[in-house]
């Protein structure tokens, strides 16, 4: 297992704008195989993540309009590479606020230093954000000014304490004047609703994202009112697995800063409440160049909470030329090139249900579309975890101060699709 | 060479015209092509000057620009002499960037690179472990063969370094040296052997990596470290876990006997019934000599299980493949839930995971059946994901779910993504072939699709119907007639060819239509695709043999057309057919059998999954994804018939005993010991329960019940109007105020409890007492403490108490404060002496102790 040999970053227009080699240099021309595959795939989403070339294997990910293409020479678990590349992208995001071509080009030296630390001879060395930040400080305006005056550097000269301890995810010597711990319980509903409005498939997936700003070495335990709802859970490495197994309590020494504590799936026995319903009638007339489009959206099982941030996205068939619609609420756009209709609805008020009605212009002479398009729906409900999950309490041991603690609940639509 | 570099510097110092600079460059970079980059050269001149300057800031700027050039893939090799001089810079950032440069270009500039070596050799002795480690990293990354002996020496020394971080880097360096000079293998193996004994979690992953690279066949080196690796696994960093798990999978397949019973494969579905029963029963069921699992085999399976919960998809997949390849088949079921969870991840992860599920689902349908709906396709999925999901749905189809699935497929067929619609039709065909109950339904559904407006859909349907009809030689005259009509409208060659073949094959069933079709085809012959032409020839031949009266002339006409076709395949086939079917004086013995040859009963095609038999590749590997052996793929061996001697894994007890008792430190370390050891101990006890075969919820039943009741009560009490958690902080303050008084009250009541439960470690009691004390707001206190005491009862059973701990059990109140102090002092400790922190971990691992004890008594 030689792991990752080289990495190329490629933008959407096919320019290789960064390369890094951890062993001997591999020529850029290896990317030609990738471009070939990209051309064949037509769509960026369909570029195969693993490509075999005569002398190398290319494993790539697509993130934020960029391709991360890694060159591999020998057998390696593909997920290992994929997961690592995503971790690299996450790190860039963490350091520069965004993972874009511009941000990477502007910070090319830091990018290089990061890549150097993250991988040694193609094998991951330090991937924990807490460790990396001790080694290489993220860029800030203030720091760059100070550095240019004092001549100090962005690079740490001692080994990050995390590297050696049993808790590599936490850096030492953390100090805050205000000690705070926030938890966001975010649940997403994945669903497929069929034509008649009945649920084909629905599932709740959730995550708890934490933002912990606590001094010292706090040892936290988070308990739930109803932990049995959580059917399948994956943990941040900081969580003590056995404690969860035996008591259903999340006990951990947290990393400093933002991180994902757990992600979970709610057991499938529980019926999933679907907070919205959609009435739709989309029809295309035979042998005519127009069709009708009529969609109304309304609340259902929303636990008395407001549904907001509603957007409806529809990939219209290729023969659709244009759409003339009138929304009773919000605004809509139709992109004639990608054929994507987006209706930004906003908040749903039960008194007056938002609807979008009008005519669809079709390419004349073309056969009418075989199938009606699916509606993809986005929404958000604040202060509600749709599964009913509730955090019971958060206790802190190991430090004397009293932290400020907060929990927030949000429910969102995940992959929420209505077939028409 | 060094004189050269001096001369070069003078030139640049003199700031002469680019001409001279070019001359110097050409000696260094043989690639040349400098004419094109004259502007670059000018720029590089000023970079050189900056590097010469006395100011660190200028140097840093220059290095940053150079790194920018490297990143863009521009050639910066001509700056080598100027850069290499800064290798000893005091500024750590400059130094790091110089390292980056060196590693990139040292291979091209070997002689100059040697100049830097002494700096690294000095840095290897630096008191700062980070500097030692990074010096080793760079030194070993410089791919210059001359320094092999120096590298070897450095690795040997670093492998004995006090800092585990440096030792980790030594493990990485092993692989680098090996690829530079494979001759060093024997020496390197010695170092690997030594590092494998290392007990630091930092080193474990890296050294196993080196082992896999250098000497994967030296399984004997693993024996003594096997149990240690199993026990460390949970704490190793994620990437190391993946490597270790893959290695241990291979190891297990060579060292243990198969846990799979012969009848396993047949009774996939019934297995779930056995699950709940204990293993004893399974064993006695066996006809042959009863199978007992090697405790070491069990240890591996048990210790990897928690990692299914990892956030890292690669780790989850690694555990999944371990279960697939080495666990008893009845236990592999637990991996499906985790794999399905990964499907929520990004498309790349989905792609790989779906591929692996596809392979698994062919062999063991039952594993993924409960998750059928998770594989339903969304219109927003990329096509490659859609087709994989379809593949899995097909594998999972059975009599019970086929009607639901067919309804789902109906939606897919209409998809705008035509490639996917075509794949769905293939799928329906496969389902029809595999499940005889629905063959007719599917067939009629497919016939309906023949009137679809989309050509691709129709073409695919024709091809699939052809295959299905071929499998069922029953009367399907109607369908064939229907298809014959389609010939007028369909243009896709494969579909036309399929229809013609079908008519030819069944020409006696449709005696009126067949000749007419041939007539039409004769008309359009010249404009048809080659594929269709071949089938026209076939059709003609078959009709000639069965119905020569009507078709003799037509066939001869077609044969004449074929004779002068541009394609030699068609000319060839024409010649062949003519000789075979048209009797003449030259025709050989074969023409007698022409009818038998053309109208023989043809075997129906087998509609199979492309993922069949893919599991001869280890799951989760690159080779599995590509379905081809990748370079460096390590074959998974078959289970041995007879288990090799298990005693090779025993470790001398004395050795370990020494390390367990760092008596002096014990007191300070206790707090850490608590939470890690606690978990380990529980692991120990849950071991026994999972040993007995119970899969889900590895806790004992009694605890489950208790947990239930306590949870119910707490839920009731918490249904107060205010949302508790949101305002925790408010109530918290109040609690603080009450704290002191409460502590006393509680403490008293607790003392009583304490007496009841005679044995308890002081540590956990600390934690609990503080939690009770903090948590109990008046409304909740009752239920809280109830559950508390209950859980304590359980832990009591689990925990073994040490003498030391018992001594430390003083009054509760004072312990509380003490607890805090211990924590903070622990933290300080942990950070300062990192090396020993790993030591504690080992010492605080009673599992380790009890295990070895088990093996020796």
């Amino acid at each position: 297992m030689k792991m990752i040999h080289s990495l190329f970053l490629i933008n959407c227009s096919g320019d290789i704008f960064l390369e890094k080699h951890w062993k001997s240099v591999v020529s850029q021309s290896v990317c030609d195989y990738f471009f070939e595959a990209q051309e064949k795939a037509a769509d960026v989403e369909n570029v195969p993540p693993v490509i075999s070339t005569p002398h190398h294997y290319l494993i790539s990910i697509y993130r934020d309009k960029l391709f991360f293409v890694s060159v591999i020479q020998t057998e390696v678990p593909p997920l290992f590479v994929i997961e690592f590349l995503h971790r690299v992208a996450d790190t860039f995001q963490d350091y520069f606020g965004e993972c874009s071509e511009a941000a990477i080009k502007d910070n090319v030296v830091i990018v290089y230093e990061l890549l150097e630390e993250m991988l040694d001879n193609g094998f991951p060395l330090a991937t924990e954000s807490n460790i990396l930040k001790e080694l290489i400080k993220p860029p800030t305006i203030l720091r760059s000014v100070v550095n240019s005056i004092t001549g100090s550097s962005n690079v740490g000269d001692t080994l990050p304490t995390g590297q050696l301890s049993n808790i590599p995810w936490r850096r030492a010597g953390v100090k805050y004047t205000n000690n705070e711990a926030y938890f966001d319980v975010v649940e997403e509903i994945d669903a497929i609703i069929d034509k008649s409005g009945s649920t084909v498939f629905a599932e709740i997936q959730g995550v708890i994202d934490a933002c912990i700003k606590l001094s010292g070495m706090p040892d936290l335990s988070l308990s739930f009112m109803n932990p049995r709802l959580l059917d399948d859970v994956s943990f941040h490495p900081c969580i003590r697995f056995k404690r969860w197994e035996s008591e259903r309590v999340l006990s951990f020494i947290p990393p400093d800063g933002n991180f994902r504590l757990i992600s979970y799936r709610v057991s499938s026995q529980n019926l999933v409440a679907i907070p919205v319903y959609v009435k739709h009638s989309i029809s295309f007339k035979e042998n005519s160049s127009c069709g009708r489009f009529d969609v109304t959206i309304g609340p259902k099982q929303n636990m008395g909470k407001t549904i907001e941030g509603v957007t409806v996205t529809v990939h219209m068939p290729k023969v659709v030329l244009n759409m003339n619609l009138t929304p009773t609420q919000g605004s809509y756009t139709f992109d004639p090139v990608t054929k994507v209709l987006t209706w930004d609805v906003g908040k749903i008020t039960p008194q007056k249900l938002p609807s979008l009605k009008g005519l669809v212009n079709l390419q004349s002479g073309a056969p009418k579309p075989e199938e009606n398009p699916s509606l993809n729906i986005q929404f958000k409900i604040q202060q509600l975890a749709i599964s009913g999950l509730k955090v019971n309490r958060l206790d802190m041991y190991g430090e004397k101060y009293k932290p400020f603690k907060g929990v927030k609940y949000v429910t969102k639509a995940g992959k929420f699709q209505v077939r028409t | 060479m060094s004189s050269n570099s001096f001369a070069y510097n003078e030139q640049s110092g003199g700031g002469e015209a680019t001409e001279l600079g070019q001359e110097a460059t050409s000696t260094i970079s043989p690639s040349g092509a400098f004419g094109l980059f004259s502007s670059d050269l000018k720029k590089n001149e000023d970079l050189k000057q900056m590097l010469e300057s006395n100011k660190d800031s200028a140097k840093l700027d220059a290095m940053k620009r150079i790194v920018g050039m490297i990143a863009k893939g521009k050639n910066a090799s001509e700056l080598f002499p100027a850069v290499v001089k800064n290798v000893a810079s005091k500024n750590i950032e400059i130094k790091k960037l110089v390292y980056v440069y060196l590693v990139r270009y040292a291979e091209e500039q070997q002689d100059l690179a040697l100049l830097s070596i002494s700096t690294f050799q000095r840095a290897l002795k630096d008191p700062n472990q980070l500097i030692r480690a990074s010096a080793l990293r760079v030194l070993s990354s410089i791919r210059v063969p001359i320094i092999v002996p120096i590298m070897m020496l450095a690795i040997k020394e670093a492998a004995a370094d006090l800092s585990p971080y440096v030792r980790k880097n030594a493990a990485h360096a092993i692989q680098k040296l090996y690829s530079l000079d494979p001759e060093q293998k024997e020496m390197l193996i010695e170092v690997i052997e030594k590092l494998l004994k290392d007990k630091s979690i930092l080193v474990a992953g890296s050294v196993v990596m080196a082992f896999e690279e250098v000497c994967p066949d030296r399984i004997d080196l693993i024996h003594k470290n096997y149990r240690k690796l199993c026990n460390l696994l949970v704490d190793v960093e994620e990437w190391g876990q993946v490597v270790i798990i893959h290695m241990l999978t291979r190891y297990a397949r060579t060292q243990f006997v198969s846990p799979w019973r012969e009848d396993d494969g047949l009774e996939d579905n019934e297995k779930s019934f056995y699950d709940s029963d204990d293993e004893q029963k399974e064993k006695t069921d066996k006809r042959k000599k009863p199978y007992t699992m090697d405790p070491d085999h069990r240890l591996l399976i048990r210790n990897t299980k928690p990692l299914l919960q990892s956030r890292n998809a690669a780790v989850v997949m690694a555990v999944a493949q371990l279960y697939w390849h080495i666990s008893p088949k009845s236990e592999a079921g637990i991996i499906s839930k985790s794999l399905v969870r990964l499907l929520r991840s990004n498309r790349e992860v989905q792609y790989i995971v779906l591929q692996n599920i596809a392979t698994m689902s062919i062999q063991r349908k039952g594993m993924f059946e409960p998750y059928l709906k998770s594989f339903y396709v969304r219109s927003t999925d990329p096509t490659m994901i859609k087709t994989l999901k379809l593949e899995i749905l097909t594998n999972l189809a059975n009599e019970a779910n086929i009607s639901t699935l067919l309804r789902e497929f109906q939606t897919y067929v209409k998809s705008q993504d035509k490639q996917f619609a075509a794949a769905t039709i293939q799928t329906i065909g496969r389902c029809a072939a595999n499940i005889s109950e629905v063959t007719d339904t599917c067939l009629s559904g497919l016939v309906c699709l023949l009137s679809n407006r989309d050509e691709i859909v129709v073409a695919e349907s024709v091809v699939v119907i052809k295959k299905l009809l071929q499998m069922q030689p029953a009367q399907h005259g109607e369908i064939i007639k229907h298809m014959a009509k389609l010939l007028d409208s369909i243009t896709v060659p494969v579909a036309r060819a399929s229809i013609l073949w079908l008519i030819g094959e069944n020409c006696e069933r449709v005696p009126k239509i067949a000749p007419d079709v041939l007539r039409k085809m004769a008309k359009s012959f010249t404009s048809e695709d080659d594929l269709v032409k071949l089938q026209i020839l076939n059709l003609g031949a078959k009709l000639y043999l069965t119905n020569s009266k009507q078709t003799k002339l037509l066939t001869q006409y077609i044969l004449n057309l074929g004779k002068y076709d541009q394609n030699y395949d068609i000319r060839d086939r024409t010649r062949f057919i003519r000789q075979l079917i048209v009797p003449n004086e030259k025709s050989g013995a074969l023409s007698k059998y022409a009818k038998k040859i053309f109208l023989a009963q043809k075997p129906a095609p087998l509609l199979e999954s492309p993922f069949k038999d893919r599991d001869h590749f280890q799951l989760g590997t690159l080779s599995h994804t590509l379905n081809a052996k990748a370079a460096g793929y390590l074959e998974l061996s078959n289970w041995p018939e007879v288990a090799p001697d298990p005693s090779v894994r025993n470790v001398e007890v004395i050795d370990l005993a020494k390390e367990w008792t760092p008596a002096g430190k014990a007191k300070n370390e206790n707090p850490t010991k608590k939470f890690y050891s606690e978990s380990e101990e529980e692991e120990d006890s849950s071991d026994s329960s999972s040993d007995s075969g119970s899969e889900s919820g590895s806790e004992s039943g009694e605890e489950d019940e208790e947990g239930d009741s306590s949870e119910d009560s707490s839920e009731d009490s918490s249904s107060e109007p205010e949302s508790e958690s949101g305002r925790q902080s408010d109530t918290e303050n109040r609690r603080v105020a009450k704290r002191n008084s409460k502590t006393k009250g509680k403490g008293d009541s607790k003392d009583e409890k304490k007496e009841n439960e005679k044995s308890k470690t002081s540590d956990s009691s600390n934690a609990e007492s503080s939690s009770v004390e903090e948590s109990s707001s008046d409304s909740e206190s009752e239920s809280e403490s109830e559950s508390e005491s209950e859980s304590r009862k359980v832990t009591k059973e689990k925990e073994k108490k040490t003498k030391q701990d018992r001594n430390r059990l003083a009054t509760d109140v004072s312990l509380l404060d003490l607890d805090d102090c211990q924590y903070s002092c622990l933290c300080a400790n942990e950070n300062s002496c990192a090396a020993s922190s790993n030591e504690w971990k080992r010492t605080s691992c009673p599992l380790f102790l009890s295990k070895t004890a088990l093996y020796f008594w």
Side-chain angles (χ1 to χ4, degrees), chain A residues 75 116 190 233 245 393, chain B residues 137 309 344 623 699 728:
Chain A
E75 173 63 52
E116 193 70 32
D190 285 359
V233 193
E245 280 285 89
R393 50 183 296 105
Chain B
R137 267 180 77 184
Q309 245 79 29
R344 276 281 294 181
S623 306
E699 313 100 313
Q728 250 175 15

Side-chain angles (χ1 to χ4, degrees), chain A residues 187 204 226 229 264 266 270 385-389 411:
Chain A
E187 294 196 336
I204 300 171
N226 37 13
L229 276 175
Y264 59 87
V266 174
N270 298 40
I386 196 88
S387 67
L389 185 75
T411 297

Side-chain angles (χ1 to χ4, degrees), chain B residues 410-426:
Chain B
Q410 274 174 24
T411 338
Y412 300 167
V413 166
K414 286 189 249 157
S415 165
Q416 289 172 33
D417 182 347
K418 291 305 162 196
Q419 203 189 332
F420 169 58
T424 308
I425 293 166
Q426 291 277 7

Side-chain angles (χ1 to χ4, degrees), chain A residues 160-216:
Chain A
T161 44
Q163 272 288 23
L164 292 174
S165 74
N166 292 334
I167 36 175
W169 53 84
R170 187 170 180 88
R171 64 192 177 92
V174 184
K175 256 201 142 57
Y176 289 100
T177 39
N178 293 322
N179 289 295
E180 304 163 317
Y182 297 101
F183 296 89
D184 288 5
V185 180
V186 183
E187 294 196 336
E188 294 194 351
I189 307 174
D190 285 359
I192 301 177
I193 313 285
D194 76 358
K195 229 177 221 180
S196 57
S198 55
T199 310
V200 177
F201 166 74
E203 190 176 62
I204 300 171
Q205 309 262 5
V207 295
I208 298 182
D209 284 335
C211 174
I212 307 279
K213 294 178 175 174
L214 298 176
S215 314

Side-chain angles (χ1 to χ4, degrees), chain A residues 320-336:
Chain A
V320 173
L321 282 183
N322 217 334
M323 305 183 76
N324 277 318
L325 308 173
T326 347
T328 58
Q329 184 186 333
S331 60
Y332 83 98
T333 54
F334 177 71
D335 183 347

Side-chain angles (χ1 to χ4, degrees), chain B residues 520-539:
Chain B
K520 282 187 195 158
M521 286 298 113
K523 241 162 120 185
S524 62
F525 185 86
T526 46
S527 56
E528 296 286 354
D529 188 273
D530 290 343
L531 201 64
V532 185
K533 283 178 182 169
L534 287 176
Q535 287 308 326
I536 297 175
L537 288 171
N538 268 346
L539 175 65

Side-chain angles (χ1 to χ4, degrees), chain A residues 43-291:
Chain A
D43 182 9
V44 282
E45 290 272 275
N46 272 320
V47 180
V50 183
I51 299 168
S52 175
T53 79
H55 300 291
H56 301 98
Y57 306 99
L58 303 180
I59 298 186
S60 63
I61 64 161
Y62 180 67
R63 265 283 284 265
D64 303 310
K65 305 208 168 116
L66 299 178
F67 281 106
F68 290 62
V69 182
S70 61
V71 181
I72 313 290
Q73 264 187 330
T74 51
E75 173 63 52
V76 58
L79 274 182
F80 185 102
V81 180
I82 289 169
E83 189 75 31
F84 177 79
L85 292 178
H86 276 289
R87 207 59 73 78
V88 171
D90 288 341
T91 309
F92 291 166
Q93 177 91 38
D94 191 23
Y95 264 72
F96 314 131
E98 55 169 0
C99 175
S100 67
E101 186 184 354
I104 291 171
K105 277 181 171 170
D106 287 348
N107 297 291
V108 73
V109 174
I110 295 185
V111 165
Y112 241 67
E113 286 169 347
L114 281 173
L115 290 176
E116 193 70 32
E117 287 304 332
M118 291 182 81
L119 219 52
D120 179 24
N121 195 38
F123 189 76
L125 190 61
T127 50
E128 283 297 337
S129 128
N130 266 249
I131 289 181
L132 285 171
K133 282 188 173 159
E134 267 183 83
L135 280 170
I136 302 149
K137 306 210 171 60
T140 59
I141 296 164
L142 180 69
R143 187 171 297 125
S144 59
V145 171
V146 169
N147 285 352
S148 64
I149 297 166
T150 62
S152 62
S153 75
N154 279 331
V155 180
D157 60 354
T158 49
L159 187 68
T161 44
Q163 272 288 23
L164 292 174
S165 74
N166 292 334
I167 36 175
W169 53 84
R170 187 170 180 88
R171 64 192 177 92
V174 184
K175 256 201 142 57
Y176 289 100
T177 39
N178 293 322
N179 289 295
E180 304 163 317
Y182 297 101
F183 296 89
D184 288 5
V185 180
V186 183
E187 294 196 336
E188 294 194 351
I189 307 174
D190 285 359
I192 301 177
I193 313 285
D194 76 358
K195 229 177 221 180
S196 57
S198 55
T199 310
V200 177
F201 166 74
E203 190 176 62
I204 300 171
Q205 309 262 5
V207 295
I208 298 182
D209 284 335
C211 174
I212 307 279
K213 294 178 175 174
L214 298 176
S215 314
M217 279 285 161
D219 191 340
L220 304 178
S221 55
L222 184 75
S223 61
F224 299 99
M225 299 272 197
N226 37 13
R228 254 152 241 275
L229 276 175
L230 308 183
D231 182 35
D232 182 36
V233 193
S234 77
F235 297 125
H236 189 277
C238 68
I239 291 172
R240 297 183 185 97
F241 180 73
K242 290 295 164 190
R243 196 72 197 282
W244 172 257
E245 280 285 89
S246 56
E247 299 165 51
R248 301 274 139 178
V249 166
L250 297 174
S251 145
F252 56 98
I253 296 177
D256 182 43
N258 293 310
F259 66 102
R260 174 151 299 173
L261 185 64
I262 62 168
S263 34
Y264 59 87
R265 195 174 57 208
V266 174
S267 64
S268 41
Q269 278 86 29
N270 298 40
L271 276 180
V272 179
I274 306 289
V276 294
Y277 72 87
V278 180
K279 275 199 295 192
H280 51 82
S281 106
I282 302 172
S283 60
F284 304 105
K285 270 187 228 137
E286 195 73 59
N287 299 325
S288 104
S289 60
C290 73

